[in-house]
């Protein structure tokens, strides 16, 4: 019931409200731990093989969640997402319990709530979109489509595809095959551009969204062949979106003397 209400509120109230989305977007994860505990208490309703499946799934999930907490800087609520396999196998003891206590109940009593929950989930995923710029909004905000590149065919708000289409054209004009690239943005950089051309990524990060920090300077000292000869700076019609007092801007000024402005990016090049 709580998950149903959370999804309904998120679908109806949250679109366009960035603060509310941040507070409520991952709230459903808080139900994972009590659900695992409930399944553990109800394991007596399972046979030997079902209990073994539950123990394996729950054990692997708890281990994964613990590893994420110890080895990354992700928040506790975010790390709970790694309990999903355990939640899946928890359906077995919970389902066995429900079969026993509802064995004589009408079908709508047994399955009505879960059907209602699935209906809301279906409505939410048909009604809401996560645009390329901004927070989640409704399908009525779709106003453009990406026409080329790795995001080809993505429908979104107006500005997201416009920026993507423009950046694709600028990359094709100003970036060459084999360049060593560093993408700079603030507070984070859109790194989809690393897929625009057959180039080399000059950052040390191996996570799915390559980031950069001051440790890059030490990384380049140890690996000078990884130092970029091209920097792609997030801009808006020639005006940098990165504060001039940022350490990365000072490094760029010391190492690059020329640049060319695109529409939403600035391309620094060092031969």
């Amino acid at each position: 019931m709580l998950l149903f209400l959370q999804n309904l509120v998120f679908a109806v109230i949250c679109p366009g409200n960035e603060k509310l989305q941040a507070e409520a977007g991952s709230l459903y994860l808080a139900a994972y731990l009590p659900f695992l505990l409930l399944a553990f208490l109800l394991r007596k309703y399972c046979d030997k093989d079902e209990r073994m499946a539950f123990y394996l799934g729950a054990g692997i999930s708890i281990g994964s969640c613990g590893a994420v907490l110890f080895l990354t800087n992700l928040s506790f609520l975010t790390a709970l997402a790694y309990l999903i396999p355990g939640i899946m196998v928890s359906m077995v003891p919970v389902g066995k319990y429900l079969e026993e206590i509802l064995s004589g109940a009408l079908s709508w009593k047994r399955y009505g709530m879960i059907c209602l929950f699935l209906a809301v989930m279906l409505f939410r995923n048909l009604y809401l979109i996560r645009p390329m710029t901004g927070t989640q909004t409704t399908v009525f905000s779709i106003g453009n489509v990406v026409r080329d590149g790795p995001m080809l065919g993505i429908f979104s708000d107006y500005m997201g595809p416009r920026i993507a289409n423009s950046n694709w054209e600028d990359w094709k004009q100003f970036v060459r095959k084999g360049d060593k690239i560093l993408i700079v943005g603030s507070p984070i950089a859109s790194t989809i551009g690393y897929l625009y051309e057959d180039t080399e990524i000059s950052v040390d990060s191996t996570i799915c969204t390559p980031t950069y920090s001051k440790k890059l300077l030490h990384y380049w000292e140890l690996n000078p062949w990884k130092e970029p000869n091209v920097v792609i700076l997030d801009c808006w019609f020639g005006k940098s979106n990165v504060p001039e007092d940022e350490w990365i801007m000072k490094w760029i000024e010391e190492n690059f003397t020329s640049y060319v402005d695109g529409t939403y990016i600035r391309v620094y090049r060092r031969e």
Side-chain angles (χ1 to χ4, degrees):
M1 187 65 181
L2 290 174
L3 289 175
F4 162 72
L5 292 175
Q6 190 266 350
N7 276 275
L8 184 62
V9 169
F10 197 91
V12 176
I13 299 177
C14 284
N17 190 325
E18 186 173 355
K19 181 179 180 181
L20 189 58
Q21 285 187 33
E23 294 174 348
S26 299
L27 191 60
Y28 68 95
L29 295 172
Y32 281 10
L33 285 178
F35 195 83
L36 268 176
L37 178 61
L38 174 65
F40 181 78
L41 296 175
L42 298 177
R43 69 191 187 283
K44 61 183 178 182
Y45 293 94
C46 301
D47 59 32
K48 181 180 178 181
D49 291 338
E50 291 167 342
R51 282 196 300 271
M52 181 61 68
F54 169 70
Y55 289 145
L56 286 174
I60 292 172
S61 294
I62 293 172
S64 299
C65 181
V68 170
L69 287 174
F70 279 109
L71 301 176
T72 74
N73 62 350
L74 295 178
S75 67
F76 178 72
L77 192 61
T78 303
L80 288 181
Y82 289 83
L83 291 176
I84 288 178
I87 297 300
M88 293 173 64
V89 295
S90 295
M91 299 294 179
V92 177
V94 173
K96 287 290 184 178
Y97 169 73
L98 291 176
E99 284 182 2
E100 181 164 326
I101 67 170
L102 296 176
S103 57
L106 298 175
S107 294
W108 71 267
K109 288 186 177 180
R110 298 178 61 183
Y111 304 112
M113 194 63 220
I114 192 170
C115 291
L116 184 60
F117 173 70
L118 292 175
V120 172
M121 287 291 292
L122 181 63
F123 164 74
R124 170 179 163 176
N125 286 281
L126 290 175
Y127 179 66
L128 297 182
I129 65 167
R130 183 173 181 176
M132 296 170 63
T133 57
T135 55
Q136 279 190 322
T137 184
T138 69
V139 293
F140 300 107
S141 298
I142 293 177
N144 208 342
V145 61
V146 182
R147 297 189 300 271
D148 215 333
M151 294 187 289
L152 172 67
I154 291 181
F155 287 83
S156 186
D157 57 343
Y158 176 75
M159 282 307 302
R162 177 179 172 85
I163 292 174
N165 292 329
S166 177
N167 287 350
W168 170 263
E169 295 175 359
D170 288 338
W171 271 71
K172 289 302 177 183
Q173 181 177 357
F174 302 124
V175 179
R176 307 166 189 166
K177 181 177 180 180
D179 280 338
K180 298 175 182 179
I181 304 294
L182 173 65
I183 298 178
V184 175
S186 180
I188 59 175
S190 174
T191 53
I192 190 67
Y194 287 128
L195 301 179
Y196 284 174
E197 186 57 85
D198 185 10
T199 56
E200 185 173 345
I201 302 175
S202 294
V203 297
D204 60 328
S205 173
T206 58
I207 64 173
C208 56
T209 304
T211 59
Y212 63 90
S213 65
K214 282 189 175 181
K215 63 181 179 178
L216 263 181
L217 302 178
H218 181 61
Y219 173 71
W220 291 332
E221 289 179 4
L222 298 176
N223 306 276
W225 58 89
K226 292 289 290 184
E227 190 168 339
N229 71 304
V230 172
V231 173
I232 309 295
L233 182 69
D234 183 28
C235 289
W236 187 269
F237 292 92
K239 182 179 180 180
S240 172
N241 288 332
V242 181
E244 293 296 329
D245 57 353
E246 288 275 352
W247 71 270
I248 189 65
M249 293 301 296
K250 296 178 181 178
W251 179 85
I252 292 174
E253 291 174 2
E254 293 172 357
N255 291 272
F256 293 84
T257 57
S258 63
Y259 64 83
V260 59
D261 277 325
T263 306
Y264 302 106
I265 61 173
R266 176 180 296 170
V267 182
Y268 292 84
R269 173 173 294 278
R270 177 176 55 188
E271 300 297 342

